[in-house]
Amino acid sequence: MTANSMTTGDSALNADRRARELRELGDRPAIDVLVIGGGVTGAGAALDAAARGLRTVLVERHDLAFGTSRWSSKLVHGGLRYLASGQVGIAHESAVERGILIRTTAPHLVRPLPQLVPLLPEIRAFQRTLIRAGFVAGDMLRSSAGTPPALLPRSRRVAAAEALRLAPTARRDGLRGGLQAWDGQLVDDARLVVALARTAAAAGASVLTRVEALAVTGDSATLRDTLTGQTVDIRARAVVNATGVWADTVDESIELRPSRGTHLVFSAEAFGGLSASLTVPVPGSTSRFVFALPAAHGRVYLGLTDEDAPGPVPDEPRPTDTEIDFLLDTINGALREPLTRKDIRGSFAGLRPLLKTADNSTADISRKHAVLRSPTGIITIVGGKLTTYRQMAEDAIDAAVARAGLAAGPCRTKRLPLVGAVSGAARDRMTAPQVWIERYGSEAAHLVAAAERDPALLEPVAPGIDVTAAEFAFGVTHEGALDPSDLLDRRSRIGLVAADRAAAMAAAEKQF
């Protein structure tokens, strides 16, 4: 079986397929690998296992990308921050995985993004030198990872006029140009998770949302359909716990110390048509920055905080007033006209599943992932970050194969494109709206065909929102959406702005 042939199966996720596969699981409850958790790591692990020929089941008690995987900065980054703190191995791993994502795995979902540090008077010569040295080191990482400069250009210094073209609302007084580097940006993190899950399904995995795993051991679990209450007991030769910040609820031997990363959502107009990541050093720090990132649906995301988040883990974390003030204060130092709370259209926060340490600060804890084996035999994968999900999944499935003595082939995901992957001339030849190509890649052809049959599908789901009825319909028929919140909050990101969510609710409800 070649890498490309593994994606030729049925990748459509929908309610009918879910019901059928639950019935089949009841008839044949013995499987090779059970993956618990439908975030980026869990979906990646399910794809890795299924691509090795293992009978694989992924269960998620809510929806795909329900947890931390939809709350990221949507960056596929090369690990400069880790290099600055001496974590060379993690930085190199990030650069390698970024290259795999942007060239092979998901070229339709990842785009090169310029990163601009405006050289304002507050940035002294020493700090400017450090930032420039960091960008040069990033160039070396990119080169060592085999990513060509034609894809991610070399860093450089730009003139003030170029800096203002990239970031029109940057302060002009005292601006001495800017330092520019390049990184990768996802069109959306939740869309990556859906593409992973669909590719896993095409490779033979059962992807079951709204299904929770109870009484989990290293070789068994009771699966409960939260929609019907029905249960099925299964036997698995290996169980992988990929539940992120909830890992300690599946395996009590795990001790986590979550940290919270917060973002604010603005309209693109508030930043004057920002076309780069506006990157502002945090005062008093040599390695922390705040980023303003151009995003889908005519928005800008402003982040990122890194705050200790002890206590119970909520399904949807919320930013604190302190974090909001920190982000506004930091970015306003680089803007001509300061932003206020009235400019904020929405916000979101995610929790990182960091392993507990004796250190009192989460800001400098290593983001290196860990594969842990509990006394009951459960294999848990924690730590890491979105960019390195593929390596994390590979390590977890390697551990599962070794522990259970599974007859499996080697990992194939370095060479395995996801559903919709298209780039270069093939992408240029596509006849579909550009925004559809950016969100769905080659799968945009399905939306075009549906709209040709029913032109009403071209209508926006609400006035002023760049999501069409065709996209909502596709979310239900192919992407596993089971209720309106799946469409509004994860298949699209309309829900990040409460007013937009309310406006599009009727169109989402119409699909069910």
Side-chain angles (χ1 to χ4, degrees):
M1 183 165 57
T2 67
N4 287 335
S5 70
M6 286 184 286
T7 62
T8 58
D10 183 8
S11 68
L13 298 175
N14 49 53
D16 288 344
R17 178 173 183 161
R18 175 184 179 277
R20 181 180 74 249
E21 292 189 337
L22 277 169
R23 289 194 301 270
E24 292 172 352
L25 193 57
D27 295 336
R28 298 174 54 220
I31 65 173
D32 292 322
V33 178
L34 171 66
V35 178
I36 306 172
V40 69
T41 307
L47 172 56
D48 191 304
R52 299 189 198 204
L54 300 172
R55 188 183 179 208
T56 303
V57 173
L58 167 69
V59 296
E60 162 57 50
R61 65 178 176 174
H62 295 296
D63 181 31
L64 297 170
F66 184 85
T68 303
S69 293
R70 63 170 157 148
W71 303 130
S72 78
S73 297
K74 288 70 175 152
L75 291 176
V76 177
H77 62 82
L80 272 182
R81 176 175 175 181
Y82 314 114
L83 197 65
S85 57
Q87 301 175 66
V88 179
I90 300 175
H92 179 71
E93 180 180 80
S94 293
V96 169
E97 294 301 319
R98 177 184 63 185
I100 293 171
L101 258 170
I102 201 169
R103 300 179 73 183
T104 302
T105 307
H108 60 310
L109 297 178
V110 186
R111 68 182 180 100
L113 177 71
Q115 177 181 1
L116 174 74
V117 179
L119 294 177
L120 293 163
E122 292 82 359
I123 300 181
R124 303 299 182 186
F126 175 70
Q127 189 174 24
R128 184 171 67 247
T129 300
L130 282 180
I131 295 170
R132 178 63 182 137
F135 283 176
V136 170
D139 292 339
M140 296 172 64
L141 276 176
R142 175 196 49 73
S143 178
S144 69
T147 305
L151 192 58
L152 290 177
R154 295 182 178 89
S155 62
R156 63 191 181 116
R157 182 164 179 166
V158 298
E162 175 68 1
L164 290 170
R165 185 187 68 80
L166 295 168
T169 58
R171 272 173 47 201
R172 296 171 183 266
D173 58 300
L175 181 65
R176 304 186 307 278
L179 298 177
Q180 183 188 50
W182 290 78
D183 222 332
Q185 183 184 35
L186 283 163
V187 64
D188 186 65
D189 45 8
R191 296 214 58 78
L192 174 66
V193 177
V194 170
L196 283 164
R198 290 187 59 204
T199 310
S206 294
V207 177
L208 305 172
T209 59
R210 305 305 199 280
V211 173
E212 62 180 341
L214 307 171
V216 180
T217 72
D219 59 8
S220 67
T222 296
L223 304 184
R224 177 179 174 272
D225 181 348
T226 65
L227 300 182
T228 66
Q230 295 181 330
T231 62
V232 58
D233 295 325
I234 66 165
R235 302 289 296 180
R237 296 184 66 186
V239 175
V240 175
N241 173 19
T243 55
V245 288
W246 293 277
D248 54 0
T249 67
V250 176
D251 179 0
E252 295 181 354
S253 69
I254 303 294
E255 286 191 276
L256 294 178
R257 182 171 178 186
S259 78
R260 184 175 53 251
T262 284
H263 295 80
L264 307 179
V265 182
F266 297 85
S267 67
E269 289 78 9
F271 282 85
L274 182 70
S275 59
S277 167
L278 178 58
T279 304
V280 181
V282 173
S285 173
T286 59
S287 61
R288 292 190 64 198
F289 299 84
V290 160
F291 306 89
L293 303 159
H297 310 307
R299 298 170 181 169
V300 168
Y301 299 149
L302 173 64
L304 180 66
T305 64
D306 197 338
E307 299 294 330
D308 205 7
V313 176
D315 280 346
E316 294 196 12
R318 300 305 307 164
T320 65
D321 285 340
T322 300
E323 290 172 304
I324 293 171
D325 289 340
F326 164 77
L327 291 172
L328 286 175
D329 290 345
T330 304
I331 198 67
N332 280 340
L335 299 181
R336 196 160 59 249
E337 295 290 337
L339 297 168
T340 70
R341 284 177 176 255
K342 291 181 180 179
D343 296 305
I344 300 172
R345 300 198 65 208
S347 63
F348 59 94
L351 298 179
R352 307 175 184 90
L354 307 181
L355 283 171
K356 189 173 184 179
T357 71
D359 195 308
N360 288 325
S361 170
T362 62
D364 296 315
I365 291 177
S366 169
R367 282 348 187 232
K368 184 174 177 60
H369 64 271
V371 178
L372 308 173
R373 298 163 183 80
S374 79
T376 66
I378 299 171
I379 294 167
T380 296
I381 176 74
V382 289
K385 50 202 171 293
L386 183 146
T387 304
T388 59
Y389 83 88
R390 192 211 61 80
Q391 186 64 58
M392 295 169 66
E394 178 180 347
D395 291 348
I397 300 304
D398 280 348
V401 167
R403 179 191 176 278
L406 295 170
C411 175
R412 303 174 186 266
T413 55
K414 285 184 180 178
R415 302 177 305 280
L416 178 56
L418 300 187
V419 166
V422 65
S423 60
R427 177 173 176 145
D428 295 339
R429 288 194 298 269
M430 290 189 63
T431 54
Q434 187 62 33
V435 69
W436 284 2
I437 296 173
E438 291 174 357
R439 294 173 187 168
Y440 301 92
S442 62
E443 294 279 278
H446 291 290
L447 281 77
V448 171
E452 288 175 347
R453 293 190 298 270
D454 181 5
L457 291 175
L458 291 172
E459 293 297 317
V461 296
I465 294 177
D466 66 347
V467 175
T468 61
E471 293 172 79
F472 274 8
F474 190 75
V476 173
T477 60
H478 285 73
E479 296 183 331
L482 298 178
D483 68 18
S485 68
D486 293 352
L487 294 175
L488 294 166
D489 300 331
R490 289 167 291 278
R491 302 308 177 276
S492 73
R493 305 317 291 276
I494 292 172
L496 288 176
V497 174
D500 291 350
R501 192 180 198 278
M505 177 59 76
E509 291 175 338
K510 189 177 178 180
Q511 297 293 331
F512 300 95

